[in-house]
Amino acid sequence: MDIDPVMEKLKDNFGWVVPSIPDEKMGCKEHNVSDEAFEVINAATDCILCGSCYSECSMMEVNQRYISPPALLKTFRINNDTRDTLGGERLQHVTADHGLWDCTHCYRCVEHCTKKIPIMDGIHRLREEAFERG
């Protein structure tokens, strides 16, 4: 499987933490995450970006522009990282066309995940977050 499309989707959807610590203070002190806050994202941090969920996603078969399960899982993980500051903008981006709402809930991503990550739980939580933010 060509992993480049997965990486492009992660890049296009801000698949990294945008820290609240200014660049000049980065590395000067720890930016800890509480055990309770980490528990929310714990399963999602196990993703190794192997692409199994991507290659088995029924939406990817019909729409190559669909955001993809790994990008949605990464969005959930990063948006719920207490060190991140880009949550609202990232969420707005993934709810656009070919994004979060196009998931058909077929659960193939979960069935084929090599790490047994509950990917759909993250997708459902993203939807709840989108509803809460309006």
Side-chain angles (χ1 to χ4, degrees), residues 31-48:
H31 196 160
N32 296 327
V33 175
S34 71
D35 291 342
E36 297 81 24
F38 183 73
E39 191 56 39
V40 172
I41 60 172
N42 187 17
T45 63
D46 289 341
C47 179
I48 59 173

Side-chain angles (χ1 to χ4, degrees), residues 6-52:
V6 176
M7 295 299 113
E8 284 301 314
K9 288 175 188 294
L10 290 174
K11 200 165 37 170
D12 291 346
N13 293 287
F14 314 109
W16 58 88
V17 170
V18 177
S20 57
I21 297 174
D23 286 344
E24 61 274 0
K25 299 218 180 211
M26 193 65 70
C28 295
K29 75 174 212 168
E30 294 179 1
H31 196 160
N32 296 327
V33 175
S34 71
D35 291 342
E36 297 81 24
F38 183 73
E39 191 56 39
V40 172
I41 60 172
N42 187 17
T45 63
D46 289 341
C47 179
I48 59 173
L49 298 174
C50 68
S52 292

